[in-house]
Each structure stands twice: as C-alpha cells, then as structure tokens.
Amino acid sequence: QVQLVESGGGLVQAGGSLRLSCAASGRAFGTYAMAWFRQAPGKEREFVAAISWSGVPTYYGDSVKGRFTISRDNAKNTVYLQMNSLKPEDTAVYYCAADTAFRSSPSALRLSYDYWGQGTQVTVSS
C-alpha cells in the first residue's frame, strides 16, 4: 500500500512558477516509479511527467517539455514538479501517482499507476 499527499498548488499569474510536492508513505519509496498527471474541467486526465525509482530516466508530456521538471528525493519520500513559464492552459488539478509494478522504464499511461493522491489545484491567470 502507498499513500500519496500532494501540496503546493495555488493561483499564479501567467509566466510565473510553482513547485508541487507529493509526499509518499507506506511501501519503500525508492522502489517504484512516480508520475504527475493533470485534469482540467471537461477533459481527460493527461500525462505530465514521470520519473523512475532511481531518478533517471524522466519523461515529459509534449505540452510541458522544457518548462516543467520532475525530481525525487528518496530520503524524504517526496517527488516534486517544478513548473516554470506557466500558461493559462496549465490550469488543472494535478495528481501524483505511483507505479509499483516492475518496469524497465517509467510509464506515461494512466492505467500503469495503481496509487493516486487526492490532487492539488493549479490555476494560472492570464
């Protein structure tokens, strides 16, 4: 079992930055991949970024490449999402997720992730 709690969301102006955190508990954190997804009203949940258990490799959705950075601190049981150059279209609820299955690389597929946090709202004003 894995429990995930996101924090760090809020309201920011376009061009600004936010850093999301996701604290994990339960199963040993350094043994599974993590990811961030987001869901805007009326839209499907979208892949944002993923990171392997060791921190390398990382993958990003096309819409956030070059602006967002995923990282993890296994000593603190936490994964982060640094979001820079935010745009109004980044407005969504952001979810962290854990994939406890063994895979050769982190997945971008929502169905690969078996544990989810409750989400944190990010709103970017124009």
Side-chain angles (χ1 to χ4, degrees):
Q1 289 280 348
V2 175
Q3 295 79 42
L4 303 171
V5 179
E6 301 98 334
S7 61
L11 174 64
V12 63
Q13 288 188 331
S17 298
L18 278 176
R19 188 176 82 155
L20 305 183
S21 300
C22 174
S25 60
R27 177 171 165 169
F29 184 67
T31 63
Y32 51 85
M34 294 290 296
W36 288 93
F37 289 77
R38 67 186 182 186
Q39 189 165 18
K43 294 189 176 182
E44 296 279 323
R45 193 166 295 190
E46 175 191 21
F47 170 74
V48 174
I51 187 168
S52 74
W53 63 271
S54 66
V56 178
T58 57
Y59 298 111
Y60 296 91
D62 289 341
S63 61
V64 306
K65 280 181 184 175
R67 300 187 299 124
F68 291 11
T69 302
I70 189 170
S71 63
R72 66 189 296 159
D73 186 337
N74 287 346
K76 295 183 178 180
N77 291 354
T78 303
V79 64
Y80 304 97
L81 185 68
Q82 178 66 45
M83 305 185 293
N84 299 329
S85 302
L86 282 161
K87 305 174 181 179
E89 51 265 43
D90 294 318
T91 295
V93 176
Y94 283 71
Y95 299 90
C96 68
D99 176 5
T100 60
F102 176 78
R103 302 184 202 278
S104 57
S105 60
S107 173
L109 300 177
R110 186 180 64 184
L111 292 179
S112 296
Y113 292 85
D114 42 359
Y115 296 96
W116 294 81
Q118 82 289 349
T120 185
Q121 176 71 47
V122 171
T123 303
V124 184
S125 63
S126 57

